Amino acid sequence: MVQQPRTTDPAAPAVEGASTERARAMRARLLAAAREVFERDGFLDARVTDISAAAGVAHGSFYTYYRSKTDVFRALVAATMDELYASLGSAAETDRGVRDRPADPLPAIERANRRFVAMYRENTALMALFEQVTTFDAEVRALRQAARERMVGRVRHSIEGFQAAGLVAADLDAEYSAHALVAMVNALVHYWLVLGGNFDEERLVRAMTRLWAQSLGLPAPR
C-alpha cells in the first residue's frame, strides 16, 4: 500500500501558525530559492543557509516555514509533480468534455504528449534530483507514486471512454494499459532529457503518439 505523504500542497504551512498571506508569499519565495539552490548544488550539498541567502531572509526565518531542507524539497517536488502530470492530463481530453469525444482522438493525444515534453524540459534538473531522492526518502517516493497513480487514473478514464464510444476493444485491460502508456512516455522523456539520449523531439513525439494509438487499436495518425 502506498504511504500517503504528509501533504502535497506546497501552500500548506509546515509550521503551525504560518498561514497568513504574508506567510504564503514567504513560502513561495523560499520554494523558488530552494529550487535555485537544489538545481545548482544538488540535494546532498544544498544547505538551508544557502536557501535562506538566496531568498534574502535570515537563516532562522527559514524554520518558521519549513522544518528542514528535506521538508522544502518535498514541497517543491509536490508542486512540480502535480503541474507536470496535469500537463499530460487525459489522453483524449477535449474542451467539450469526456462525453463528447472527437471521432479522431489522435490530435488530442499528440497535444498531451507535447505538453508533457515541454513541462519535463522546463523541470529537467529538478526531475533528475527527484529520481535521486526517491531512492532514500520514503515521503518523496510516496509523492512520486501518488502523482503517478493520479495520472494513470486519468489515462485509464480516457481508455474507458474510448471503449464506451466503440473506438477501443471492450476487453482491453484499461488499468494495465494506462500503466504501460504512462511508463512509456515518462521513461522515454526521462532518458532523453535527464540521461542525455540522442533524440529528435518531433520524431519522439510522433513515435510516442503512434505507439499510444496502435497499442489501443486506434487508427494510426496520418
Side-chain angles (χ1 to χ4, degrees), residues 144-160:
R144 179 189 182 190
Q145 289 175 304
R148 178 69 166 264
E149 288 296 328
R150 286 195 297 276
M151 181 176 172
V152 167
R154 288 195 292 267
V155 173
R156 181 185 65 189
H157 184 64
S158 289
I159 294 172
E160 290 169 346

Side-chain angles (χ1 to χ4, degrees), residues 92-199:
E93 192 177 62
T94 71
D95 293 336
R96 294 168 295 173
V98 173
R99 294 185 179 179
D100 188 17
R101 295 183 184 279
D104 181 6
L106 270 298
I109 294 173
E110 182 175 329
R111 285 194 301 271
N113 285 332
R114 291 188 186 281
R115 286 198 304 268
F116 187 80
V117 166
M119 278 298 305
Y120 215 102
R121 183 188 291 106
E122 289 177 18
N123 296 284
T124 298
L126 188 62
M127 295 306 295
L129 286 175
F130 184 39
E131 292 297 323
Q132 176 191 24
V133 179
T134 56
T135 63
F136 58 80
D137 186 280
E139 188 162 333
V140 171
R141 187 161 55 251
L143 286 170
R144 179 189 182 190
Q145 289 175 304
R148 178 69 166 264
E149 288 296 328
R150 286 195 297 276
M151 181 176 172
V152 167
R154 288 195 292 267
V155 173
R156 181 185 65 189
H157 184 64
S158 289
I159 294 172
E160 290 169 346
F162 292 150
Q163 290 172 320
L167 298 173
V168 168
D171 62 349
L172 182 73
D173 190 318
E175 180 182 2
Y176 278 32
S177 297
H179 274 285
L181 290 169
V182 169
M184 176 192 71
V185 173
N186 192 84
L188 277 171
V189 176
H190 180 83
Y191 175 71
W192 171 37
L193 295 175
V194 175
L195 300 181
N198 185 21
F199 286 156

Side-chain angles (χ1 to χ4, degrees), residues 3-104:
Q3 175 188 351
Q4 292 300 314
R6 177 175 57 80
T7 178
T8 58
D9 181 3
V15 178
E16 187 176 355
S19 58
T20 64
E21 187 64 35
R22 181 179 178 183
R24 283 193 289 272
M26 181 57 72
R27 282 193 296 275
R29 185 173 170 182
L30 285 167
L31 277 180
R35 177 171 184 144
E36 176 187 335
V37 172
F38 285 130
E39 292 184 350
R40 183 190 69 207
D41 300 337
F43 178 81
L44 296 176
D45 292 332
R47 301 181 304 170
V48 169
T49 301
D50 297 328
I51 295 172
S52 301
V57 303
H59 177 77
S61 298
F62 175 93
Y63 295 102
T64 302
Y65 305 98
Y66 297 101
R67 295 182 176 88
S68 63
K69 75 170 185 179
T70 302
D71 196 36
V72 72
F73 184 80
R74 289 167 179 165
L76 180 60
V77 161
T80 304
M81 290 301 293
D82 281 346
E83 189 178 4
L84 177 70
Y85 283 129
S87 72
L88 187 53
S90 295
E93 192 177 62
T94 71
D95 293 336
R96 294 168 295 173
V98 173
R99 294 185 179 179
D100 188 17
R101 295 183 184 279
D104 181 6

